[in-house]
């Protein structure tokens, strides 16, 4: 238990925090009195009488008296300030409270005007009398009527100081909520404690300053003015944004209390920071009368804010020259060079759209697929590749529950997004400086399942036409896996759609329906517009399966064992980055080595070192096949590729697929092996494929997974996640 230490207070608190709050709220005027010539009154038994006509109520203490006066104001009466040398009158409770806080903060019974107290109730201690300087007779009105000549400028400066500190505190709380994902309840505790600490610091500083000023015999009004001008305006007032709701009126500042609650903080964030909120888009009504909807973040508003941001403009490379001596980025590919829209508008925005579905819950638990979400992100190819590889420039467009999409036509899901992109193509966005920026889609990125869905292709590798880049059938691939088929074009795509419209067939040449993205004026999925993903096709496909096959071959040759490889991996001193990206699971007999994309890539790079001295015959065909795969990967993942390297890649890919099918005839090639035969052509079309892989976009999923885990709220989950993301 914590008893109150203030004299004549019998309150006992259960916690120390409760004690500090009680002292601050109930005894804010309690002060240490100087023993040098100050009067001391024993207020015990003193009654304060209200002088208002027809009232005359006697109050037992000052607290009851001040509450009584405020009730008169609430009843519509005008009261006069009860303190000496002050003739102010008030008809608003907030103004009276603020006035008392500013000019009579440390009031006592002895400060009241004559007539409020019966003189017979007061006993004065015998102390040496002292003379009050004439300046003490100066009233509060006189102080107000004779301001400092630079007072208005100082007031304006203080408004700026308070606004700047409010913004700084808001950014701090904003970061806690958006970046570190602290719950609202935790942030509220931090806000309350910060305000209490600030007030305690102010009271301590005020007490020390008053004691020092009294030592030099300054008048009370002068002391109050100095405390008000020096401490209150510089220490207490700048933190008024954290003030509790019932204490906001005492500050008389527009920023007071704007951060004190969850709702007010959200309003402050949206009004002071660049914010584009998610919009609910209805799809259709269910038989139960519920409406299926998803949440869309308007891209035109987002792009306008992004293009007006100075920090983002530093990384814009829309006007950079495209060199002819190699392929260094997307703009070096034929798809960009042959696009008439980008030739006519060199500064146009180049949209890279990514779509993928992910689980926010445990994908193996009982709630799997229940909260699976389709996410659509986008970024700008105008940004420097080093900036584009980070997560922050990736913007959110759509969040939709995956089960809602089932049975809903594709054009309904992407209608708002496509409509905004059409406006971007035709009219563009108008910036504050008067510039008009147009733009369109450069490519749509995703894994095979997502790319086939958005492109209108068959979504199964068991289909006869499973390649979205060529029209080669599965039967033809079994005969010659390493050769390419006839490349798809917008014309061949439209012919297939025409056949579908004129017949009852479900699909034709691997196409099921016309993609909604083909309605754009300057984009088509068969340009090609759907690049491959190295992470899924190469590292989690070809490398994952083939490396397991090669290791099994070496084990059967008695050249090495799984235990020996695992021991060497544990003992090898990798660099910091490679140690994080190395395989974490033990190698064992199986169809796959079992790592993630980057882990499989790292293992492929280091396998020749881990197997050093164990391969008895380095001219072995399987060992040479591994080296060929390693060389192919090194070319494909290169951020800068020359035409001669592309020609070399074509030959290496054909030789690898031919040798792979010849050395392991019992283990058939997979559809992802077929994509390997297209890589040389895809680099010519898109530039280096490493700048279009999905892993950087998929890293964005982790933010939404953490949000869902920390919030523990799955009601309207797409709105919750979209709103949290837009507060970043």
């Amino acid at each position: 238990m914590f008893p109150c230490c203030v004299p004549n207070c019998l309150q006992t608190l259960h916690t120390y925090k409760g004690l500090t709050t009680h002292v601050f709220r109930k005894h804010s005027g309690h002060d240490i009195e100087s023993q040098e010539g100050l009067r001391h009154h024993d207020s015990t038994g003193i009654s304060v009488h209200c002088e208002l006509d027809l009232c005359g109520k006697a109050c037992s203490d000052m607290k009851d008296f001040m509450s009584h006066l405020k009730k008169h104001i609430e009843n519509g009466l005008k009261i006069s300030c009860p303190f000496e040398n002050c003739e102010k009158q008030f008809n608003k409770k907030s103004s009276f409270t603020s006035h008392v806080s500013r000019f009579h903060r440390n009031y006592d019974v002895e400060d009241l005007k004559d007539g409020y107290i019966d003189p017979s109730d007061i006993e004065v201690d015998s102390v040496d009398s002292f003379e009050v300087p004439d300046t003490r007779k100066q009233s509060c009105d006189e102080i107000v009527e004779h301001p400092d000549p630079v007072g208005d400028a100082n007031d304006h400066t203080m408004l700026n100081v308070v606004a700047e500190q409010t913004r700084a505190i808001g950014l701090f709380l904003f970061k806690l909520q958006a970046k570190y994902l602290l719950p609202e309840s935790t942030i509220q505790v931090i806000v309350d404690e910060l305000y209490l600490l600030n007030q305690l610091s102010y009271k301590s500083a005020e007490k020390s300053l008053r004691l020092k000023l009294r030592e030099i015999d300054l008048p009370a009004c002068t002391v109050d003015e100095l405390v008000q001008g020096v401490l209150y305006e510089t220490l207490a007032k700048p933190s008024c944004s954290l003030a509790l709701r019932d204490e906001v009126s005492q500050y008389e500042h527009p920023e007071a209390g704007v951060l004190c609650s969850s709702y007010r903080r959200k309003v402050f964030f949206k009004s002071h920071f660049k914010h584009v909120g998610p919009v609910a888009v209805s799809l259709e009504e269910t038989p139960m009368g519920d409406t299926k909807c998803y949440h869309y973040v308007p891209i035109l508003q987002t792009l306008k804010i992004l293009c007006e941001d100075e920090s983002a403009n530093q990384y814009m490379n829309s006007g950079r020259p495209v060199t002819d001596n190699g392929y260094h980025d997307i703009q070096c590919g034929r798809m960009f060079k042959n696009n008439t829209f980008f030739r006519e508008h060199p500064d146009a925005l180049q949209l890279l759209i990514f779509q993928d579905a992910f689980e926010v819950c445990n994908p193996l638990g009982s709630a799997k697929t229940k909260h699976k979400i389709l996410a659509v992100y986008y970024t700008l190819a105008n940004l420097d590749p080093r900036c584009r590889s980070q997560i922050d420039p990736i913007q959110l467009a759509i969040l939709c529950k995956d089960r809602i999409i089932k049975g809903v036509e594709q054009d309904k899901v992407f209608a708002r997004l496509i409509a905004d992109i059409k406006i971007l193509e035709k009219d563009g966005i108008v910036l504050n400086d008067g510039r008009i920026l147009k733009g369109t889609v450069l490519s749509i990125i995703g894994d095979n399942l997502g790319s086939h869905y958005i492109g209108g292709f068959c979504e199964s590798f068991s289909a006869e036409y499973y390649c979205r880049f060529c029209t080669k059938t599965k039967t033809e691939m079994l005969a010659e896996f390493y050769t390419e088929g006839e490349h798809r074009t917008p014309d061949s795509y439209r012919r297939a759609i025409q056949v579908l419209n004129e017949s009852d067939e479900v699909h034709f040449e691997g196409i099921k329906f016309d993609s909604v993205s083909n309605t754009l004026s300057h984009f088509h999925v068969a340009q090609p517009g759907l690049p491959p993903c190295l992470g899924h096709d190469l590292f989690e496909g070809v490398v994952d399966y083939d490396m397991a096959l090669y290791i099994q071959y070496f084990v059967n040759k008695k050249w090495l064992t799984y235990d020996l490889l695992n021991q060497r991996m544990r003992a090898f001193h990798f660099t910091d980055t490679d140690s994080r990206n190395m395989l974490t699971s033990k190698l064992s007999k199986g169809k796959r080595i079992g790592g993630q994309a980057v882990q499989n890539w790292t293992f492929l790079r280091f396998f020749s070192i881990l197997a050093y001295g164990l391969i008895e015959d380095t001219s072995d065909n399987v060992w040479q096949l591994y080296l060929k795969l390693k060389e192919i990967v090194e070319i494909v993942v290169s951020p800068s590729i020359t035409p001669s390297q592309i020609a070399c890649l074509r030959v290496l890919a054909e030789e690898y697929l031919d040798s792979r099918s010849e050395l392991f005839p019992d283990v058939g090639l997979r559809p992802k092996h077929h994509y390997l035969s297209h890589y040389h052509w895809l680099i010519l079309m898109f530039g280096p494929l490493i700048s279009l892989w999905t892993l950087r976009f998929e890293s964005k999923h982790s933010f939404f997974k953490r949000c869902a885990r920390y919030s523990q709220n799955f009601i309207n989950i797409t709105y919750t996640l979209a709103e949290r993301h837009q507060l970043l």
Side-chain angles (χ1 to χ4, degrees), residues 56 145 167 245 282 291 300 353 428 432 439 499 504 514 573 626 649:
E145 290 172 1
R167 182 178 176 83
R245 188 171 301 177
S282 299
T291 302
L300 296 179
I353 297 179
N432 290 336
V499 172
D504 296 333
D514 193 4
H573 294 288
Y626 154 72
L649 175 63

Side-chain angles (χ1 to χ4, degrees), residues 517-581:
S517 59
N518 292 337
T519 60
L520 297 173
S521 303
H522 302 282
F523 175 81
H524 198 282
V525 296
Q527 285 177 331
L530 307 173
C533 174
L534 300 183
H536 294 87
D537 296 344
L538 188 59
F539 298 121
E540 291 182 356
V542 176
V543 173
D544 196 13
Y545 288 97
D546 286 4
M547 284 303 298
L549 192 64
Y550 303 156
I551 294 173
Q552 180 63 43
Y553 172 85
F554 298 140
V555 170
N556 294 338
K557 296 277 288 185
K558 307 295 184 182
W559 290 352
L560 50 82
T561 64
Y562 289 107
D563 291 338
L564 181 58
L565 270 180
N566 290 326
Q567 181 182 353
R568 287 197 170 193
M569 278 197 297
R570 290 193 301 268
F572 192 84
H573 294 288
F574 296 97
T575 62
D576 183 56
T577 303
D578 291 329
S579 64
R580 293 196 304 268
N581 295 331

Side-chain angles (χ1 to χ4, degrees), residues 288-323:
M288 301 298 295
D290 299 329
T291 302
K292 293 182 178 180
C293 70
Y294 67 90
H295 286 88
Y296 168 68
V297 180
I299 66 168
L300 296 179
Q301 299 177 32
T302 306
L303 289 173
K304 179 176 173 22
I305 293 175
L306 183 64
C307 294
E308 290 174 349
D309 187 83
E310 295 182 0
S311 60
N313 287 327
Q314 296 176 1
Y315 298 97
M316 288 286 189
N317 296 324
S318 58
R320 63 185 171 187
V322 178
T323 58

Side-chain angles (χ1 to χ4, degrees), residues 138 140-155 225:
Q138 189 177 19
C140 297
D141 288 337
E142 292 173 333
I143 295 176
V144 176
E145 290 172 1
H146 298 84
D148 189 346
V150 294
D152 293 340
N154 290 337
D155 289 342
E225 185 180 1

Side-chain angles (χ1 to χ4, degrees), residues 619-631:
S619 62
D620 183 84
N621 290 333
V622 176
W623 178 256
Q624 293 298 319
L625 194 61
Y626 154 72
L627 295 178
K628 193 166 293 183
L629 176 61
K630 188 170 181 286
E631 188 175 0

Side-chain angles (χ1 to χ4, degrees), residues 659-672:
S659 300
R660 164 68 171 76
S661 59
E662 181 181 345
L663 292 173
F664 298 95
D666 297 333
V667 183
L669 295 174
R670 296 175 176 273
K672 292 182 179 180

Side-chain angles (χ1 to χ4, degrees), residues 54-112:
L54 303 178
C55 181
K57 179 180 178 180
C59 303
S60 59
D61 55 27
M62 285 293 296
K63 179 182 177 182
D64 291 341
F65 177 63
M66 299 303 292
S67 299
H68 175 72
L69 293 180
K70 292 178 182 178
K71 288 182 180 178
H72 281 313
I73 299 178
E74 292 175 353
N75 293 330
L77 299 178
K78 180 181 289 187
I79 67 167
S80 300
C81 181
F83 297 102
E84 284 186 318
N85 303 321
C86 186
E87 302 301 329
K88 289 284 187 179
Q89 291 185 335
F90 305 92
N91 54 11
K92 289 186 179 180
K93 180 180 174 181
S94 59
S95 301
F96 176 64
T97 303
S98 177
H99 171 78
V100 173
S101 175
R102 294 183 63 184
F103 296 102
H104 313 290
R105 177 177 291 269
N106 297 305
Y107 61 79
D108 201 353
V109 176
E110 63 183 12
D111 297 322
L112 294 175

